[in-house]
Amino acid sequence: MVISASNNAATAPTSSLEVVVSKAARPLSVHQSILTQLYFGAIDGADQNFLSIHTDLEVLGPDLFAQYWVTDEKVKQSRYKNVRYAYNRQMLFGYVRFACSGTYNFQQLSERAYRQIYECLINSGCRRLLRTWNYFPQITKTCSDYKHHNRYELFCNGRLCATRASGIDNKVYPAATVIGNRGDYLQVYFLASDAPGVAVENPRQTSAYHYPVANSFTQPLFARGVLKAWGERTHLYVSGTASIVGHETLHINNVGAQLNEAINNVETLVEHANDQHQAQLNAQDDLLYMKVYVRHNEDLARVQQVLTARLASDLPRMLLLGDMCRDDLLVEIEAFYQT
């Protein structure tokens, strides 16, 4: 598979990286090294033998859902300040978690988290963020003591300040998910590499970093998707995607129509990756899993109905209770493609 880009992305690393999805609570029987395990649901799914990360979101269903990120090169574990991470010479998966106390400044807390992430990356040599997941409570709560910005805007500003301060040349922004949880923690986990990926934008949507904002305070620094070659594997990391065309929310108060529009956006992104970067992805066959964030429990039946109509019946999917960064969004999805 050929991935071309105008940003002169580096030649694909020789190390492989493969994601395996399982409903098993225990590690898979694999001969390769496990970079990390992500799991959702039952908290007893953790394994202390490798980096194991539990997401602080309620699962809308009974099943444990686990991802195993495996590689053919030996993996080590370490810690930098509050960041726990697993790595080898070409890849790094890390995790940071901060309590959100009643007296904290959320902009400063977000900046602190990302400053530590970037410092960790610089020290490790894997300086290129490819994919981030960000979860924190009360995402659209307005903070009257900070120019009436909400917490999502404060998060964006904290991340922006840390990015600028890092000194890393960020020509390719990572794919990203930012979702409100119902807990008490800011939780960030992330994948990085020694070589950049290839940013993919969606022609149906305004690029997030070009959103019409009054100033750069709330500038969201993420790509709609990132392509990355790992040995013989190619990944497409699709950012959190909602019912947004241009920069406006469509289908307000209609969760089914919003979900259909979000899926349309993901499929358009895949088409664009194929047309512009020769990715050769199949929108259905190469879709490894989809995560669906749902704002209201009562919308679950309608969400399931749309997913049944649009996706293959055997596609792994995880439905999670979470809030979007706009109050008029009812559902958001993220997808992962692997060839």
Side-chain angles (χ1 to χ4, degrees):
M1 179 175 296
V2 177
I3 299 175
S4 62
S6 59
N7 61 3
N8 296 321
T11 303
T14 56
S15 292
S16 70
L17 182 61
E18 180 177 5
V19 177
V20 179
V21 176
S22 173
K23 291 184 178 180
R26 291 296 159 202
L28 302 179
S29 245
V30 294
H31 299 294
Q32 295 172 297
S33 300
I34 296 178
L35 182 66
T36 193
Q37 174 204 28
L38 303 177
Y39 67 102
F40 311 84
I43 200 160
D44 61 356
D47 192 300
Q48 300 304 314
N49 294 319
F50 45 81
L51 184 67
S52 188
I53 302 170
H54 179 256
T55 298
D56 295 335
L57 290 173
E58 179 183 343
V59 177
L60 299 176
D63 294 329
L64 174 72
F65 180 91
Q67 301 168 12
Y68 299 90
W69 297 63
V70 297
T71 181
D72 58 353
E73 192 169 315
K74 184 178 179 181
V75 171
K76 300 178 182 178
Q77 290 192 56
S78 190
R79 188 180 189 108
Y80 175 83
K81 294 184 177 178
N82 294 92
V83 181
R84 295 187 294 113
Y85 63 98
Y87 69 102
N88 59 35
R89 61 192 175 91
Q90 294 177 321
M91 63 190 69
L92 181 149
F93 210 110
Y95 171 69
V96 65
R97 188 172 188 248
F98 286 104
C100 298
S101 67
T103 59
Y104 68 94
N105 179 310
F106 197 75
Q107 186 274 339
Q108 292 179 357
L109 189 69
S110 301
E111 182 176 352
R112 179 186 177 194
Y114 268 86
R115 278 183 178 268
Q116 290 191 15
I117 288 169
Y118 279 116
E119 290 168 4
C120 173
L121 299 186
I122 289 170
N123 290 338
S124 73
C126 292
R127 296 180 170 222
R128 308 298 180 179
L129 273 178
L130 302 175
R131 185 66 168 93
T132 68
W133 293 264
N134 310 268
Y135 305 105
F136 52 87
Q138 298 177 308
I139 189 170
T140 57
K141 178 183 178 181
T142 300
C143 302
S144 59
D145 58 343
Y146 210 108
K147 301 179 182 178
H148 301 283
H149 292 288
N150 65 32
R151 287 185 176 175
Y152 175 69
E153 293 169 330
L154 296 177
F155 167 81
C156 287
N157 184 250
R159 179 176 58 182
L160 176 65
C161 291
T163 300
R164 289 174 172 172
S166 70
I168 296 176
D169 183 9
N170 290 284
K171 292 182 179 179
V172 179
Y173 295 123
T177 294
V178 184
I179 289 289
N181 61 29
R182 310 292 169 91
D184 301 313
Y185 293 91
L186 166 65
Q187 179 184 36
V188 182
Y189 55 91
F190 56 93
L191 173 68
S193 174
D194 65 334
V198 176
V200 183
E201 293 300 316
N202 186 342
R204 297 184 82 232
Q205 297 181 292
T206 303
S207 295
Y209 44 83
H210 288 154
Y211 274 176
V213 294
N215 53 54
S216 64
F217 186 89
T218 59
Q219 187 179 28
L221 300 183
F222 69 92
R224 296 294 180 189
V226 170
L227 279 166
K228 187 70 171 73
W230 296 104
E232 296 182 355
R233 291 287 189 188
T234 295
H235 291 175
L236 174 60
Y237 310 113
V238 179
S239 292
T241 303
S243 179
I244 296 173
V245 175
H247 60 87
E248 297 181 345
T249 302
L250 298 189
H251 314 299
I252 293 173
N253 297 324
N254 187 332
V255 68
Q258 284 197 9
L259 180 53
N260 271 306
E261 199 70 69
I263 295 172
N264 292 342
N265 276 330
V266 170
E267 291 179 347
T268 300
L269 186 75
V270 173
E271 292 173 3
H272 198 60
N274 290 336
D275 291 343
Q276 298 298 312
H277 306 291
Q278 296 77 53
Q280 302 175 23
L281 294 166
N282 184 293
Q284 289 288 333
D285 294 343
D286 296 327
L287 178 56
L288 186 68
Y289 69 81
M290 182 174 286
K291 293 214 299 265
V292 183
Y293 302 96
V294 182
R295 184 184 292 275
H296 302 302
N297 269 301
E298 56 266 31
D299 288 334
L300 183 59
R302 178 60 180 140
V303 167
Q304 293 277 31
Q305 185 180 29
V306 173
L307 294 176
T308 298
R310 293 293 301 269
L311 304 177
S313 60
D314 59 347
L315 176 73
R317 65 197 71 170
M318 174 57 52
L319 277 67
L320 299 161
L321 187 66
D323 298 324
M324 288 82 242
C325 64
R326 300 182 185 185
D327 286 326
D328 55 10
L329 290 173
L330 302 173
V331 64
E332 184 170 316
I333 62 178
E334 67 179 62
F336 176 88
Y337 288 83
Q338 178 173 267
T339 64

